[in-house]
Amino acid sequence: MYRNAARPRLCGYAAAAMPQTLRAPVSSELIIKKSRFIGCVQPMTDRSSAQAVVDALWREHPGAAHVCWALLAGGQSAAVDDGEPSGTAGRPMLDVLRHQDLEGVLATVVRYFGGVKLGAGGLVRAYTDAVAQALLQAEKVAIQRMQTLQCTAPYPLEGLVRRMADTAGAELLEVDHGSLVRFKLQMPEADAAQFVSALNENGQGRIGWLKPDEL
């Protein structure tokens, strides 16, 4: 599952609405004025992996006229028209993903040209519909965002921190033993504030939390 580690916010914590991705790839196919549009939507988190999928589609469809694609993945997002008139393929495909509140999703459309030009409006509708039809069949799953926390505790409280971390479903990434025991943990973002509060209470003020820039 896609995981996004965020910096800790220990005060005034509020969980945002949980975005969604797709469980598995789903395809669709449309024939519009003799042109064949093969759409696919699938989970994808980075541009290099998306490009590898596109390259594979070209090998699978050497006779295609275009392989247009859109990736919605934060700073890795992209929209590629692949020779279609600017703004008629990649951008409309990306807009479909955005309108459905998705994240970490790649949409591709392979086009075999049928000899009849569709015009700019017709192309936008065709690429939009190819992606939308695939999404109708796709199973959406919530993205569980992860948060990284670091704290220190005196040695007598090491067992307490470990037990509470285990109970909360937190993953212990690092444990360092110096003058104090330093813990680095990762856990679902939605559970972080409650965990911090409970550990502070049980630690009776002896748990120290490191600032985000110290992570």
Side-chain angles (χ1 to χ4, degrees):
M1 180 179 290
Y2 175 87
R3 307 171 91 186
N4 179 24
R7 288 183 171 181
R9 290 169 287 177
L10 306 181
C11 300
Y13 180 87
M18 191 170 289
Q20 294 181 309
T21 187
L22 305 181
R23 185 175 298 281
V26 179
S27 299
S28 68
E29 185 169 333
L30 302 174
I31 304 294
I32 302 174
K33 293 184 179 180
K34 300 182 179 180
S35 278
R36 182 184 176 200
F37 294 85
I38 306 169
C40 180
V41 291
Q42 58 191 296
M44 191 71 54
T45 58
D46 63 88
R47 196 175 298 187
S48 61
S49 298
Q51 186 63 62
V53 170
V54 173
D55 293 343
L57 286 173
W58 273 117
R59 292 192 294 271
E60 184 180 349
H61 300 277
H66 308 278
V67 178
C68 303
W69 57 282
L71 173 67
L72 186 57
Q76 296 280 314
S77 297
V80 179
D81 293 317
D82 190 44
E84 294 282 32
S86 179
T88 62
R91 178 61 59 179
M93 293 163 64
L94 189 64
D95 287 342
V96 174
L97 301 180
R98 283 182 172 146
H99 290 161
Q100 298 208 23
D101 295 323
L102 294 169
E103 178 67 20
V105 174
L106 170 67
T108 58
V109 178
V110 176
R111 182 190 182 188
Y112 284 88
F113 183 54
V116 180
K117 292 185 177 181
L118 302 183
L123 287 172
V124 170
R125 287 190 294 274
Y127 283 101
T128 297
D129 288 350
V131 175
Q133 288 295 322
L135 284 172
L136 284 176
Q137 309 167 60
E139 182 182 356
K140 297 178 182 178
V141 292
I143 295 173
Q144 180 164 267
R145 297 193 180 276
M146 305 301 290
Q147 184 160 347
T148 302
L149 304 171
Q150 277 199 92
C151 68
T152 60
Y155 278 79
L157 294 185
E158 179 177 0
L160 171 70
V161 176
R162 288 181 178 273
R163 287 193 301 273
M164 293 191 65
D166 183 63
T167 300
E171 178 184 1
L172 280 175
L173 302 178
E174 296 176 14
V175 179
D176 295 322
H177 295 85
S179 58
L180 296 169
V181 185
R182 177 168 172 161
F183 298 88
K184 185 174 183 179
L185 313 95
Q186 189 177 70
M187 65 190 309
E189 189 179 73
D191 301 332
Q194 183 177 351
F195 171 75
V196 169
S197 177
L199 189 54
N200 284 340
E201 181 178 349
N202 283 273
Q204 299 179 335
R206 291 186 289 169
I207 304 296
W209 295 96
L210 299 173
K211 296 178 181 179
D213 57 7
E214 296 177 297
L215 291 179

